[in-house]
Amino acid sequence: MPSNKSVSDAPIVQFTNCRILRSHQLQREDLWVREGKILNPEKLFFDEKGSADIQVDCKDSIIAPGFIDVQINGGFGVDFSLATDDFKSGIDLVSQKILSHGVTSFCPTLVTSPPSVYHQVLPQISIRNGGAHGAGILGAHLEGPFISKEKKGAHPEHCLRTFETGAFQDLLATYGSLDCVRIVTLAPEMKRSSEVIRELTKRGICVSLGHSVANLSQAEEAVQHGATFITHLFNAMLPFHHRDPGIVGLLTSDKIPAGRRVFYGMISDGIHTNPAALRIAHRAHPKGLVLVTDAIAGMGLAPGRHTLGQQVVEIDGLNTYIAGTKTLSGSVATMDTCVRHFQEATGCSVETALEAASLHPAQLLGIEHKKGTLNYDSDADFLMLNDGLYVQATYIAGEEVWRQDALGM
């Protein structure tokens, strides 16, 4: 066998007998990995005269990029909006447990909270790569407190805030720091929101519109100032109206700046959005759809009472309500469940369903050169799935970090 030593001593792994999601198509070819990156086999053969050190038979599995969850409030008894002494061990637990659901990186999400919670929790969230310890952390998603009282949903009203004269300074004082923040959800109809959107965008932070009573022109203005995302489309916003479609109208707006794409999150759990609404959104703007779980601490736990930040929530089957009300409060669906439901509800292709949980969130965050695809030189974060889109194994940086045991397959 020709030697691989000319370029690197690291072993080359060849995944065979698989269908790889690449360039929007499932392609029957092998996947080559070295040092956590996906290799171009042509360069390997012709430039390095290299070959595989290890071969893995994928038994006709689908290989897809790892899922990226940009809105997850917690899970498995851990609530990211609660300031606790063992917050770090909580985030570690969630990042470990979501590997089995195909999530290889995520944005821990905090719902509307008092400033003291942000000041305690945010310094404990650090951006880090994934691995055997768990999914990678891409930065925090701060959902609130600069949102509409009328569309607060499960957010505690007494913690909501508005922008005063020094709008961006208000935001900084509330959060304490933006060092690890990746996404901020705010209501664009609030006074002075435009300057806040501009400042956040300048710092590379994604601005999302949500929990809002904005009309379409206010939403369009926010996008012109730099907003690129809509938080859980249809939920906690004005319903679509033919004369003023509100934030929903951004999906087909002709006022989006050239070269800009607006993305929108959808909780595809069969509860938050009727399948017909899911189909309408998907058909109107398929390339912008980003699947999110919006999962709360109760994900992975038995029905009963759990927390979501400052509130108590009740889980009844797949429904989660603010205790004593019928106000929906996050979900207990896992990302792989959302992918399967989305594919079933819309009748879309397997490729489309998988890209809504991988490529699209990576594009939203501007990391598609590293994550969300299986292109050459990108990070080898990928999943093996069966034809029913059930996860069989999860890999981060080319290393297996979770596998379904033989009995469960």
Side-chain angles (χ1 to χ4, degrees), residues 147-298:
I147 59 172
S148 154
K149 195 168 23 170
E150 291 86 349
K151 291 292 177 185
K152 66 183 185 296
H155 292 238
E157 189 170 325
H158 69 278
C159 296
L160 299 182
R161 299 174 81 87
T162 54
F163 295 121
E164 301 308 323
T165 317
F168 189 68
Q169 292 310 313
D170 289 346
L171 178 138
L172 275 179
T174 301
Y175 295 147
S177 163
L178 292 172
D179 289 350
C180 67
V181 175
R182 203 58 191 267
I183 303 174
V184 171
T185 292
L186 53 77
E189 71 276 13
M190 294 181 90
K191 277 188 188 146
R192 307 183 186 87
S193 67
S194 294
E195 60 186 275
V196 172
I197 294 170
R198 280 198 302 269
E199 284 295 330
L200 288 169
T201 306
K202 217 187 283 180
R203 287 162 168 76
I205 294 169
C206 164
V207 175
S208 189
L209 311 179
H211 288 277
S212 160
V213 292
N215 60 33
L216 179 56
S217 64
Q218 288 168 324
E220 287 170 335
E221 190 184 338
V223 170
Q224 284 151 13
H225 289 299
T228 53
F229 195 38
I230 303 169
T231 296
H232 44 53
L233 186 78
F234 297 124
N235 293 111
M237 59 187 62
L238 292 177
F240 179 89
H241 187 279
H242 57 285
R243 276 195 291 280
D244 191 336
I247 289 177
V248 177
L250 287 175
L251 270 61
T252 54
S253 167
D254 57 1
K255 304 267 192 324
I256 307 299
R260 176 92 57 78
R261 185 186 304 178
V262 173
F263 292 89
Y264 58 97
M266 296 218 72
I267 310 166
S268 168
D269 60 355
I271 306 285
H272 278 77
T273 316
N274 185 285
L278 197 52
R279 288 191 285 275
I280 286 171
H282 177 245
R283 288 173 193 174
H285 184 27
K287 287 188 164 55
L289 194 147
V290 173
L291 292 177
V292 298
T293 60
D294 198 19
I296 63 168

Side-chain angles (χ1 to χ4, degrees), residues 83-122:
T84 57
D85 295 337
D86 59 348
F87 182 86
K88 277 198 165 83
S89 60
I91 210 163
D92 289 348
L93 175 76
V94 174
S95 62
Q96 175 70 52
K97 292 271 200 181
I98 56 181
L99 294 174
S100 65
H101 301 294
V103 178
T104 53
S105 35
F106 70 108
C107 294
T109 304
L110 278 72
V111 295
T112 295
S113 303
S116 59
V117 169
Y118 298 114
H119 295 191
Q120 280 175 272
V121 168
L122 290 179

Side-chain angles (χ1 to χ4, degrees), residues 358-372:
S358 55
L359 175 63
H360 295 175
Q363 290 171 328
L364 165 71
L365 297 175
I367 56 173
E368 69 272 23
H369 57 292
K370 291 190 301 193
K371 310 257 184 215

